[in-house]
Amino acid sequence: MSYERHGGGYGGGGRRRRRDDYDHYDHRRDVQESPDQKLKAAIIKFGEVDAEQELPQLAIKLASQEHTSIPAIAEGFRLGITEQPYKIPFYAALLFYLSIPASEDPAAGRENGSASAEKPSIGRLILDDFWKGFQAYLDKLAWRETRLCIHFFAHLTVTNLISPQSMLGLLQSFTAVLDEFGVSNGRAKRAARCAAEGLMRAGQVLKLYSAAAVNEMIASVQAYNDSVKTAKWLVHPLAHLHSPEIPAEHADEILDCAVSALKTLDLSDFIDVPRIFPQPYEAMSTSTIVPFDLPSVLVPPEVIELEVLSTESSEDAPIKREEWPEYMLRLFDNDVTADPKTPAGYAVRADLIDIVEIFEVNRKECARFLIEYPKWTVPGTFKPRPGDPAEGADRIPLPGRDWQLESTLTETILGAQFLLPESPTKPIYYAALITELCKLSPQTVGPAVGKSIRKLYAYCANGLDVDVLRRFAEWFSVHMSNFGFQWVWKEWVPDLALPVQHPKRVFVHRALELEIRLSYYDRVLKTLPQPFQEPSAGAMPDQAPGPTYEYEDHTMPYYDAAQNVLNQLRSRTKPEDVLAHLETIKNSLAETADLNEDPDTLIRSIAIQSLLHIGSRSFSHFLNAVERYLIVLRSLTGSPEAKEHVLELVANFWKRSHQMVGVVFDKLMQYQIVEPADVVSWVFAHRAGGLDWDLLRSAIDKANGRVVVARRRVVTLRKEDDDAQAREKANANGGVTDAATMEVDAETMHDPQVIQAEDSPQLVSALKAYAAVTREQKSTLARVLECFVHVLHSSGTARRVIVTDAWEGHAGWGDEEWVTWRTWMWYKHFCRVYSPYLRSFVTTLTAVSFGSLETSTDDAAVLLIKIWRMATGQE
């Protein structure tokens, strides 16, 4: 964390030390810390042994400091609160201790005890400075830091350090966000959480002050939450296509849980708050503290740059995860893991999620803090770990709690990893974090992970979202690779009787394919029971991954011609000479009377396979071959049919290595041998065994990525041009820039598609390139939509699998039904994950792809349009 990121790098310019100098130099010498740094470190490390015992000692130490140290102390509080949220109640107790007037201070030895009673306490000065930091977080719209500071203020309100009326005003400024015109879902959701979590902690005090204001805020949060139900259906990890209803089981939405927990507390007038949130300050009291009035604030508006206002051009729009509801998958019963719909369960879940996100930079520390988390909760929240002194016959668990820590941790981490449309951080982080937890406590975490895997596997047959299933297979394979690929595969042997395209069979096949990538074929094969090793099981391939060169066998037709081409490529013959040789072979073949193939097709097959064979030794060999013979490749792909044939040849050559198919497709798109739209068409033409989402996503990302790169170049060159023009105008005016010369036509300046007469040649070229890749992007997205609409609207099976009766009998589905159902789910995922890009072209894409469906009333057309409108914000 921040307090561990010491400087200490040595600059240049010093003389080089001799060996003898190093002999007498202690490299282990600690970096010298200033007094202020020591104060911050003491605050941040507060409570690592025993918070209650350390509290008075640290308070006395801080109270003895000069007022010049107040900024450093306040900074320590800010870092501790925003990076260690589980300590917030104890930081509140520490500040309360520092705010006690000298006349009431139980620590008689404080050096400042003789200070004037009218002099502000050090606690008040710290709170003044802390508020400035909070205002900075708010101005930057650093939502997590802002929310955690509100937790702190709420605890201080309970201690009477902050006045109830000013705390109410602060929370009301966040509920006011929910009433803003056109407020984005991401902004409203995060503001609602700030208000709700502040009320949970300070609700008892605030309701005594103004019950009407508290009820109004609760109603405001609930009203907003009820308004986003359509989006919830789109991102539920187990939502069913046949029903518009959102399943109430197996997943919990975070704002739903906040509302439920808040209403539960409100019904009891928040009397249970001390049994939910630790209140180490509860025994402290003073009658002479004057409450601090928090200044009034307004939540700043979202920053919308002018550069992203164009309606028919896609900018570098990210996949805006925060704009969607956040459903956390549930894997255990409420008596095993924290139920987030209850106040205590929500408090635990929110803390754990914050810890996981904050400590992304250090998974080892994160794992340690997660294992130690129970010591920061109310006793009885979790079952004691084996050997814990608290585990005794006289232990009384708290009603409705006594949860298993390891199961709660595993469920929370996997819930974050499987958030839709994407996880908050890279999926590999969550896999690594679970691995660290298993290493720290293998006897307790291991069984929880095993149970989670079994539960997720069971969900596969009950509508688990296809992208969650994909991520599940990735995590499973990585986790197995970290623990010797040991799994109880015999449990799943009966499922080999299911159809090949059943989700459980698809998961097993995908997981084993990924395990092979992480190890090697024979190593993985030995870990499987015999039924899984059989080729007929469809779980493992019959051979190790590798190329399939059609002309390797000398008995094959055209073997000699292929060898000639292969030898030329091996000898690094000039591309022009290779082209001439290919033309000679084609003419020779055309004169052959018994030739049953098109000469161009045959020559293309020989050349492409030979090039792939040269590059099959390694990735660098492949790149070198492609770069050397770009001219040859482009000459062989002069038509859409030729490009499709090249993709087919690549897929056949690497049919035993799906990973290499993706690598080669990606490089062919990168070098513009084929276009993303060509790959999209190829993927849909070869969907019989299930839509290949990896290849489809690669093509879409390539088209979007080109726009991002071109856009950034245009913005950079535009700024350089504008700066140069401004300097010229200033020089023309004798170095003085008046108001008239500063006027800028914002639309002309910021629209990348506008070419101005005074633009530099580089900028004009960049603008034309940007326009070209934007057209390509629109074409690619339109092709994807058209293919989905055609596949799902023209198929009787596609209509059949989305009706209620069909889903109720899905246990009897065959391969065709499961492939079609997954296609529906991939369409749903495509619309939600690429929503920001699709919204940029919503008018054009709606007209082109859905124009013919507007008057259609069949189930497939209705569902296609419904998903599209939900994802693009039209419903």
Side-chain angles (χ1 to χ4, degrees), residues 512 515-516 520-530 532-534 540-542:
L512 290 174
E515 284 191 10
I516 293 171
Y520 56 95
Y521 179 80
D522 292 335
R523 170 76 173 85
V524 175
L525 189 67
K526 292 177 182 177
T527 66
L528 301 174
Q530 189 61 37
F532 277 93
Q533 297 182 19
E534 298 295 334
M540 285 285 284
D542 55 355

Side-chain angles (χ1 to χ4, degrees), residues 439-465:
K439 291 178 180 178
L440 279 178
S441 184
Q443 300 302 319
T444 57
V445 179
V449 172
K451 292 175 185 177
S452 300
I453 291 172
R454 292 178 177 89
K455 189 67 173 181
L456 285 165
Y457 183 73
Y459 282 161
C460 290
N462 294 311
L464 185 67
D465 189 272

